[in-house]
Amino acid sequence: MTTLAGTPDRPVRVNAVLDTSLSRWLWLVKWILVIPHYVVLFFLWIAFILVSVIAFFSILFTERHPRSLFDFNLGVLRWSWRVAYYSYGALGTDRYPPFSLGEEPDYPARLDIAYPERLSRGLVLVKWWLLAIPHYIVIGFFLGGWHVGWWDGGLVAVLALIAAVTLAFTEKYPRSLFDLILGLNRWVLRVAAYAALMTDVYPPFRLDMGGTEPYEPEKQL
């Protein structure tokens, strides 16, 4: 699967491919199967928060997000997205997610965030709490809470379960439902990257649905 990397204008790119042959009943036990991932992610998200605090001071004094810290937090977000996609954030694949902070280009759920060469010292003081508040309200409805991996309950989980029940009885995952679920997850991940100080590009209040990230060609001068 090929995807387009993030760009400065669209730094966060979320892509996913829906499995063509999903099990009708595996979703009933995925909550058990992902427990090892939840245990690891619990500690990774603690590290994610600590790394974000260090990055905050680095940006404040140097206008730079240390690349090693950026790559670590990107890895945590990628890992979380893969687990969410496999489990009740989408139920879009039966391929067990790898225990990896890496890119994993062959996995059907992908996340890319463009590394920023410079970040605003002023924005770092307010964007993760004040400026992001409207988005927190919206995605709070999507997710229904803030738990490990950002996915636990809320509209996304309800829609994923509706898709699973439909799959169980019709052997088909409704494509329109998949597109909506991906759009909601895409919104969440854009806000996560912004709040984690990984970009200064304000997340759009826009539901870009579908498994493929919308592509906007560069404007010609």
Side-chain angles (χ1 to χ4, degrees):
M1 177 175 55
T2 59
T3 59
L4 296 165
T7 63
D9 292 333
R10 297 178 64 92
V12 183
R13 305 195 69 86
V14 180
N15 294 276
V17 175
L18 180 64
D19 277 3
T20 56
S21 57
L22 288 167
S23 168
R24 296 173 64 184
W25 305 109
L26 184 61
W27 60 273
L28 290 171
V29 297
K30 282 185 176 181
W31 66 273
I32 298 175
L33 300 179
V34 294
I35 287 176
H37 279 285
Y38 287 154
V39 172
V40 177
L41 283 171
F42 174 80
F43 294 102
L44 285 177
W45 275 90
I46 292 175
F48 183 97
I49 294 171
L50 295 176
V51 165
S52 298
V53 172
I54 297 171
F56 170 89
F57 288 104
S58 177
I59 296 166
L60 185 62
F61 291 110
T62 70
E63 297 184 339
R64 294 181 65 87
H65 194 307
R67 187 60 188 257
S68 59
L69 303 186
F70 181 92
D71 288 344
F72 175 80
N73 277 2
L74 174 56
V76 175
L77 288 175
R78 280 172 168 163
W79 192 327
S80 300
W81 169 224
R82 289 192 292 261
V83 173
Y85 189 70
Y86 171 80
S87 60
Y88 304 98
L91 294 170
T93 182
D94 288 340
R95 289 181 56 186
Y96 197 71
F99 288 81
S100 169
L101 293 169
E103 187 177 359
E104 301 298 335
D106 293 332
Y107 197 75
R110 292 283 305 280
L111 168 64
D112 294 291
I113 303 176
Y115 176 72
E117 294 299 329
R118 290 286 187 276
L119 290 168
S120 168
R121 292 177 177 175
L123 282 177
V124 78
L125 295 170
V126 295
K127 66 182 181 181
W128 54 275
W129 66 280
L130 180 61
L131 299 183
I133 286 176
H135 278 290
Y136 290 158
I137 295 172
V138 174
I139 67 174
F141 174 65
F142 294 169
L143 304 179
W146 300 94
H147 298 280
V148 171
W150 298 72
W151 291 271
D152 188 6
L155 179 61
V156 171
V158 170
L159 293 176
L161 288 175
I162 291 173
V165 172
T166 304
L167 173 68
F169 288 98
T170 69
E171 300 186 6
K172 293 182 180 179
Y173 192 123
R175 188 72 200 195
S176 59
L177 201 51
F178 172 80
D179 290 344
L180 175 57
I181 290 170
L182 260 292
L184 297 174
N185 279 294
R186 185 171 286 120
W187 193 321
V188 170
L189 286 164
R190 287 171 177 170
V191 175
Y194 182 77
L197 313 178
M198 302 174 77
T199 178
D200 280 344
V201 179
Y202 195 72
F205 283 89
R206 185 177 67 237
L207 194 62
D208 290 327
M209 298 193 297
T212 302
E213 180 78 30
Y215 173 63
E216 294 178 359
E218 294 183 2
K219 295 180 180 179
Q220 300 295 325
L221 297 178

